[in-house]
Amino acid sequence: MLLKKEPRIRSLALGAIVASALLTAGFVETAPAYAKTADAQPAVLNASAVAVADKYAADTAEQIFKQGGNAVDAAVAIAFTLAVTYPEAGNIGGGGFMTLYVDHRPYFLDYRERAPLSATRNMYLDDKGEVIKGMSLYGHRAVGVPGTVDGMWEAQKRFGKLKWKQVLAPAIKYAQDGFEVDDQLVKRRDDASKEFAGKTNFDLYFGGMKAGQVFKQPDLAMTLQRIADKGAKGFYEGETANLIAKSMEGHGLITTRDLKDYKAVWRQPITASWNGYRVITAPPPSSGGVGLVQLLKMKADIKDKFQDVPLDSAQYIHLVAEIEKRVFADRAQYLGDPDFYKVPVAQLINDDYILKRAQEVNPDTPSDTKSVQPGLGTSMPEKAETTHFSVVDKWGNAVSNTYTINGYFGSGVIAEGTGIVLNDEMDDFASKPGVPNMFGVVGSDANSIAPKKRPLSSMTPTILTKDDKVAMVIGTPGGSRIFTSIFQVITNVYDFNMPLGDAVGATRFHHQLLPPNTIFQEPYHQLDADVIKQLEDKGYKFTMQGFNGDIQAIRIDGDKPEPMSDPRGRGVSRVIR
Ligand code: DON
C-alpha cells in the first residue's frame, strides 16, 4: 500500500508588539525583538546541525547559519526551499506542526490546514450516504485552507534573528534558476501522474520534469517573491490569494475570505517524563503526541514483559502490537481539533490510566480486536506525503518540523499562475464515522468535517530534553505510521542502546488495531521468515506496505550534535560549523 483555541500565546517582547502594530499597516522589514536575546545566548554546542529531506535544503540551512541565523531562521528557510525542490511534500500549499525549544523553553506552533467556510459534514457522501471514492483525495474539493506560510511567518517573526527576506532568498533562487531533479522525485512524479490522470492539471506543471535536468518554476518564484515582499499577506491577500480563489471557482470551496481568515495557532505542546527525559511533542489536532507518549509509557510500564525479549523477535512484535492496539482504539474515539471537540488529553496521558491499559496487554496471544475499546469509556483518518526536518543551532535551540500536503503532490491541483501545489488534507477528516481513510484508520464525531475545523493528524514533531538541554530532535512522514515509527527509533536508541544510524535504519513494523491482527511490514527491511511464521501461528496476518517513513533525527551527545537521515529517502544530514 502506498501510504499515501487554545488562546494564542503571544508573549512577544515590546519591540515585537510595536513591530506587529506597524505590520498591520503594511509590511515593514524589521529585525524581530527576539534577535536581541539570541545574540546574548552563549554557544553550548560545537556546531549547528540539520537532518532534512534533500541536499538543497541542507545547503540552504548552511547558508542561513553562515549568515548568523538561528535554528528557527534555518527551519523557515528549509521549509520554503523544500516547497521548491521537494514538491511531492515540501509545500506552501499545505500545513503542518512545529515543535520548538528556544532559550530552554518548549513551544508548539499549529499551522495545520482548516476546512473552508462552506465545508459541510457530509460533503464527501452521495445521496445514499456512502463515501464518494476519491473526492477527498483528488482535485479542488480535497483542498484545505493552507497554513504553511502563516506558520513560517509566525515562527520567524517570534524567534528568528535574520530578516524575513533573507530566509526566503534561497527558495526564490531555486524556483527562478532551477535545481537538478533527482531520480526519486521523477519516480514519485510518474506515480502521481498516473493517479491524477484526467482529474487535475498536474501534468501541465510537472509533466516536463526530467531526471538529471534543471527544473525551473517561474510562477512559484513570483509567488515566493510576493511573500518575501509582503510577509504572510503576500500569500493570504492580494494577487496570490486572488489567483488561488480564481482557480477554485466552479471546482472547489476556498475563497479569498477563507485565505484572509486563516491563522496559525501557538498551543501548549504535550510534555511528559519518560526514562529520565522530557518528551516535548505534538498536541491535538495531532493524535501523534498522545500516541507517542502512550506507546513509550506503556512499554516502560510492562518492562518486565519486555525483559530479555530481543528486538524484532516474534514476542517483541506481539507485545508492541498489543500496545499499539490500545493506542489506536483511543485515537479513533477521542482525537480531533481541540477548538471544536473537547479532547481529554490529560486523561489520555495520565500515568495511572496508561498503566491500567498496559496491564491489559496479553503476553501470550493477540487480544481480540473487538474487545479493545477506547479506554476512557464510549468512536478517524489520513494519503502519503509529508516531510520532516530537524534542526539544532549552536546556542542549543531546536526545531522539529513536520509539514504536509497529505498525498504525494497533494490533491494534484496547482493553482494556476502561482506554482502552488495544493494539499488534499480534507481526507484526514472522517468523511463518515467508521469508514477508513487512505491510511486505513477510522474516526468519529471528534474528527467530523466543520467549517474552519482542522482535520486530525498523526504528525509528531518531537524534541527530547534532559536537564533542560536538547537530547534528541526527531520526526518522520508516514501518516498513521508516524508515531509508531518514532516510538521504534526512540526505543531502539534508549532501550536497546543502538547508535543513531542503526536505530534509524533498523526494520520497522506497524499495527493499528484495524485491520484485525494485521502487521504491516516494509520492503526496506523485511522481517525474518521464522518470526513471521511464529506470529502467523499466533493468529497474525502480514501485509507489505510501500512506504515506512523517512526519519530525520539529531541526537546530541555532550556538545556534539549527530544528525541522521533515514536511508529510506534522499535526505541529507549535515553538521555546520
Ligand atoms: O497529517 C497527517 O497525519 C497526514 N496527512 C500525514 C501524511 C503523511 O505523513 C504522508 N506520508 N507518508
Side-chain angles (χ1 to χ4, degrees):
M1 160 184 160
L2 174 70
L3 286 182
K4 278 248 285 158
K5 251 169 193 172
E6 286 167 46
R8 198 162 168 149
I9 304 162
R10 275 193 171 269
S11 57
L12 291 174
L14 187 61
I17 294 169
V18 173
S20 58
L22 286 169
L23 286 164
T24 51
F27 178 64
V28 180
E29 180 86 22
T30 93
Y34 179 73
K36 295 180 192 73
T37 55
D39 283 341
Q41 278 183 286
V44 294
L45 303 182
N46 70 4
S48 302
V50 294
V52 291
D54 75 10
K55 64 180 179 205
Y56 303 108
D59 289 347
T60 287
E62 184 153 359
Q63 187 180 324
I64 294 294
F65 283 128
K66 297 239 149 100
Q67 290 172 8
N70 63 12
V72 180
D73 294 306
V76 172
I78 290 166
F80 283 114
T81 295
L82 291 171
V84 180
T85 63
Y86 200 88
E88 67 264 49
N91 69 81
I92 55 174
F97 302 130
M98 186 183 279
T99 304
L100 306 94
Y101 195 69
V102 181
D103 273 345
H104 306 284
R105 272 189 227 114
Y107 301 88
F108 183 84
L109 182 58
D110 168 1
Y111 59 95
R112 180 78 162 161
E113 297 92 327
R114 297 197 315 200
L117 286 163
S118 57
T120 55
R121 187 182 174 97
N122 295 333
M123 63 185 277
Y124 298 118
L125 304 186
D126 63 17
D127 45 16
K128 294 194 191 73
E130 302 301 329
V131 174
I132 304 170
K133 220 169 156 236
M135 201 177 184
S136 61
L137 288 173
Y138 313 110
H140 297 79
R141 286 180 74 88
V143 184
V145 183
T148 297
V149 175
D150 198 48
M152 296 307 125
W153 173 245
E154 280 292 323
Q156 212 274 337
K157 193 163 50 131
R158 185 164 180 184
F159 293 120
K161 285 175 71 185
L162 299 184
K163 293 199 166 126
W164 177 245
K165 280 190 173 170
Q166 279 174 286
V167 298
L168 263 298
I172 295 173
K173 196 160 173 4
Y174 286 124
Q176 224 156 38
D177 301 348
F179 67 97
E180 195 182 304
V181 174
D182 182 273
D183 293 349
Q184 190 190 52
L185 172 52
V186 170
K187 163 94 182 51
R188 288 175 177 174
R189 187 276 315 271
D190 292 346
D191 292 346
S193 178
K194 281 184 210 126
E195 219 178 320
F196 298 136
K199 300 186 188 101
T200 75
N201 63 352
F202 180 74
D203 282 343
L204 271 179
Y205 197 79
F206 287 105
M209 197 165 65
K210 293 195 177 60
Q213 293 193 6
V214 169
F215 183 61
K216 297 182 184 174
Q217 301 172 80
D219 286 350
L220 184 57
M222 283 192 296
T223 299
L224 290 167
Q225 190 61 56
R226 287 192 291 274
I227 296 168
D229 292 342
K230 300 197 169 83
K233 286 187 177 175
F235 183 91
Y236 293 96
E237 295 179 32
E239 189 170 350
T240 314
N242 291 340
L243 285 166
I244 296 173
K246 188 153 176 275
S247 84
M248 286 283 155
E249 275 170 23
H251 306 288
L253 303 183
I254 295 174
T255 62
T256 50
R257 166 98 193 276
D258 281 302
L259 292 160
K260 194 156 190 250
D261 280 2
Y262 184 85
K263 278 281 159 265
V265 188
W266 291 98
R267 299 189 190 274
Q268 290 295 343
I270 284 184
T271 58
S273 301
W274 169 81
N275 197 16
Y277 293 86
R278 184 181 190 202
V279 181
I280 304 165
T281 188
S286 180
S287 59
V290 166
L292 178 64
V293 169
Q294 288 192 340
L295 289 170
L296 289 170
K297 291 203 172 198
M298 266 197 252
K299 179 170 184 285
D301 281 341
I302 49 169
K303 59 175 180 295
D304 53 320
K305 296 197 172 89
F306 278 96
Q307 187 77 40
D308 300 326
V309 174
L311 191 65
D312 297 341
S313 61
Q315 185 61 8
Y316 184 76
I317 294 168
H318 164 66
L319 288 173
V320 172
E322 277 288 287
I323 293 173
E324 289 174 338
K325 261 185 181 162
R326 284 151 179 93
V327 171
F328 277 91
D330 281 354
R331 183 189 191 275
Q333 177 70 33
Y334 304 115
L335 274 296
D337 182 346
D339 295 345
F340 286 74
Y341 185 89
K342 204 169 171 328
V343 183
V345 174
Q347 286 154 277
L348 290 168
I349 60 168
N350 173 279
D351 284 345
D352 294 337
Y353 170 68
I354 293 178
L355 176 63
K356 182 177 137 272
R357 294 289 266 177
Q359 283 164 343
E360 290 162 16
V361 164
N362 183 332
D364 303 318
T365 50
S367 314
D368 173 39
T369 301
K370 285 196 207 70
S371 75
V372 181
Q373 292 293 326
L376 298 176
T378 42
S379 201
M380 193 205 90
E382 286 149 56
K383 196 171 171 179
E385 243 337 275
T386 301
T387 184
H388 177 86
F389 50 84
S390 294
V391 186
V392 295
D393 65 28
K394 63 184 178 191
W395 299 287
N397 305 308
V399 174
S400 188
N401 187 92
T402 316
Y403 72 155
T404 188
I405 40 180
N406 199 22
Y408 281 130
F409 300 97
S411 62
V413 176
I414 291 87
E416 286 90 7
T418 67
I420 301 169
V421 182
L422 293 168
N423 68 83
D424 61 340
E425 224 68 60
M426 293 295 285
D427 190 61
D428 275 351
F429 280 115
S431 296
K432 184 176 173 178
V435 175
N437 75 346
M438 174 173 72
F439 292 101
V441 282
V442 293
S444 68
D445 236 27
N447 192 33
S448 60
I449 305 173
K452 290 191 163 190
K453 191 170 172 183
R454 291 172 154 94
L456 182 59
S457 174
S458 297
M459 292 186 288
T460 318
T462 297
I463 296 173
L464 265 56
T465 62
K466 191 170 193 140
D467 303 328
D468 291 334
K469 291 195 221 70
V470 175
M472 184 178 277
V473 187
I474 186 166
T476 182
S480 54
R481 282 85 179 143
I482 290 175
F483 53 91
T484 61
S485 299
I486 295 173
F487 161 76
Q488 287 174 80
V489 176
I490 291 179
T491 52
N492 289 351
V493 169
Y494 295 110
D495 289 350
F496 288 94
N497 291 317
M498 287 166 81
L500 184 59
D502 294 352
V504 171
T507 313
R508 291 201 282 268
F509 59 90
H510 173 81
H511 173 66
Q512 56 180 31
L513 187 65
L514 295 172
N517 299 326
T518 301
I519 309 278
F520 293 90
Q521 30 166 4
E522 54 166 349
Y524 181 74
H525 267 166
Q526 296 190 31
L527 295 164
D528 197 80
D530 274 357
V531 167
I532 293 182
K533 170 85 179 60
Q534 287 171 50
L535 287 161
E536 283 174 344
D537 290 348
K538 270 191 198 291
Y540 285 102
K541 292 187 269 303
F542 283 81
T543 299
M544 188 58 74
Q545 60 188 9
F547 179 85
N548 204 13
D550 188 21
I551 293 267
Q552 305 295 338
I554 304 173
R555 186 178 187 186
I556 296 175
D557 178 15
D559 65 350
K560 289 186 215 56
E562 182 198 4
M564 193 58 61
S565 290
D566 203 316
R568 293 162 181 83
R570 62 181 195 270
V572 169
S573 55
R574 197 172 288 176
V575 172
I576 300 161
R577 294 206 155 77

